[in-house]
Amino acid sequence: MSLDISPANSTAPLPQDRPDTSPSAPQRPAASVRAARRRHKALVYGLRLLLLVAVLGGWEFAVDHWLDPFFYSKPSLIWTKLVTWFTDGTAQGSIWSQIAVTLQEAVAGFILGSVVGVVFGILLGRARLLAEVLSPYIHALNAVPRIVLAALFVIWFGLGMESKIATAFVLVFFPVFFNAFQGAREVDRNLVNNARILGAGRMQVLWSIVVPSSTSWILASLHTAFGFALIGAVVGEYTGATRGVGLLISTAQGSFDAAGIYAGMLITTVLALLAEIILGLAERRLLRWRPPSQALASSNI
């Protein structure tokens, strides 16, 4: 019998991966490493800011010289619209109340869609026969255009928050469900078999092995799920509502106010980015058990 000691099957570090601890090897002080990281971070943020200034400056210049501001607007007009909304309010009332309504709808849809998606995804991931029976129906529902569902929800639930929550729920459910389903399917079968040999029951295997193993898949879907929830709330408001950021965008479109459309889009984008930051912090706290190289990999983009 021969032992396979190839790098793919060996857990020992290769010579080039082992740290050189010989006295002649140069060791970088911790202070210099931190300084290098700060310089790199400053470079990244500086380049990001430069790119943003270039895009906005080019847009402003193009509208001033070639494009019609009535159709394309420009950053200065969008800024003026935002200042007006946050100081004087909108035609529908305070801008903060519009943002609060949209956030309530998005958060409610996000929570409901995430919980139901995780539960159904894990359960169907472990019930192969049931998954095979329901598979075509789930894919058929996922193929239904969301804008059509938003219109139906307005008819079913009215112009209140319920129709927007339902739209956000549908947009969140499917990506979370498919990730939870795949995560449950990817659980190491040897680990499950060993647990059963040791006397673990079905629920113990589910809570102790399947759910923790699916956490990475689920959290990966949650990063985009809140953005989908926000889109669902805005689309629902755009279809028919009495309050919300989507209503502001719809009203701006009806009055050919391009700056108002961009201002509403910018508010929605800022809300999605803030939610992404919060979810990233929560993910790092929940996944502290992972090695640092893996735990930080998802936050590099």
Side-chain angles (χ1 to χ4, degrees):
M1 179 182 295
S2 60
L3 296 177
D4 186 2
I5 57 173
S6 61
N9 298 303
S10 176
T11 57
L14 297 176
Q16 61 269 24
D17 296 331
R18 296 193 185 100
D20 190 353
T21 57
S22 61
S24 60
Q27 300 294 327
R28 297 182 63 184
S32 65
V33 173
R34 289 193 295 268
R37 290 176 179 172
R38 286 195 297 268
R39 287 194 298 269
H40 177 74
K41 184 176 291 187
L43 175 63
V44 170
Y45 281 103
L47 291 176
R48 288 177 178 175
L49 180 61
L50 181 62
L51 177 61
L52 178 62
V53 171
V55 171
L56 295 180
W59 183 1
E60 186 85 17
F61 182 83
V63 172
D64 286 339
H65 292 80
W66 303 306
L67 303 177
D68 188 345
F70 179 80
F71 296 105
Y72 298 96
S73 190
K74 56 183 179 178
S76 58
L77 294 177
I78 298 170
W79 175 255
T80 301
K81 176 63 69 174
L82 287 171
V83 170
T84 302
W85 279 357
F86 281 94
T87 54
D88 301 331
T90 69
Q92 288 74 31
S94 169
I95 184 62
W96 294 110
S97 65
Q98 312 304 317
I99 294 174
V101 168
T102 301
L103 276 179
Q104 290 177 42
E105 297 162 349
V107 170
F110 171 75
I111 294 175
L112 290 175
S114 299
V115 171
V116 177
V118 167
V119 171
F120 274 86
I122 292 179
L123 291 180
L124 289 184
R126 305 306 300 170
R128 186 173 297 273
L129 177 60
L130 186 60
E132 292 177 354
V133 172
L134 297 179
S135 176
Y137 302 104
I138 294 173
H139 286 287
L141 289 174
N142 187 38
V144 176
R146 305 300 189 265
I147 189 66
V148 175
L149 291 176
L152 283 176
F153 291 150
V154 170
I155 296 175
W156 293 348
F157 304 116
L159 299 177
M161 296 180 63
E162 293 82 2
S163 57
K164 288 69 181 175
I165 293 174
T167 306
F169 169 85
V170 171
L171 284 172
V172 170
F173 170 79
F174 286 102
V176 175
F177 167 80
F178 285 119
N179 268 41
F181 177 84
Q182 190 63 32
R185 283 289 181 91
E186 294 292 332
V187 175
D188 189 350
R189 296 190 62 85
N190 292 328
L191 189 60
V192 174
N193 293 334
N194 290 337
R196 288 176 176 169
I197 291 173
L198 294 174
R202 184 180 296 271
M203 292 304 299
Q204 288 177 310
V205 170
L206 184 67
W207 285 110
S208 302
I209 298 177
V210 177
V211 172
S213 299
S214 306
T215 302
S216 298
W217 290 82
I218 295 169
L219 290 177
S221 66
L222 294 183
H223 275 284
T224 56
F226 189 83
F228 287 148
L230 203 55
I231 292 172
V234 172
V235 168
E237 293 167 351
Y238 185 86
T239 304
T242 57
R243 292 184 299 170
V245 177
L247 178 61
L248 297 180
I249 296 175
S250 177
T251 304
Q253 183 203 22
S255 59
F256 295 94
D257 182 8
I261 297 175
Y262 283 116
M265 292 169 54
L266 183 59
I267 291 173
T268 306
T269 302
V270 171
L271 294 177
L273 290 176
L274 291 176
E276 172 69 18
I277 293 173
I278 295 173
L279 288 172
L281 294 174
E283 180 184 15
R284 282 192 287 271
R285 290 184 63 88
L286 290 173
L287 299 182
R288 285 181 296 182
W289 53 270
R290 291 196 305 181
S293 60
Q294 296 180 13
L296 297 175
S298 59
S299 63
N300 290 334
I301 297 178

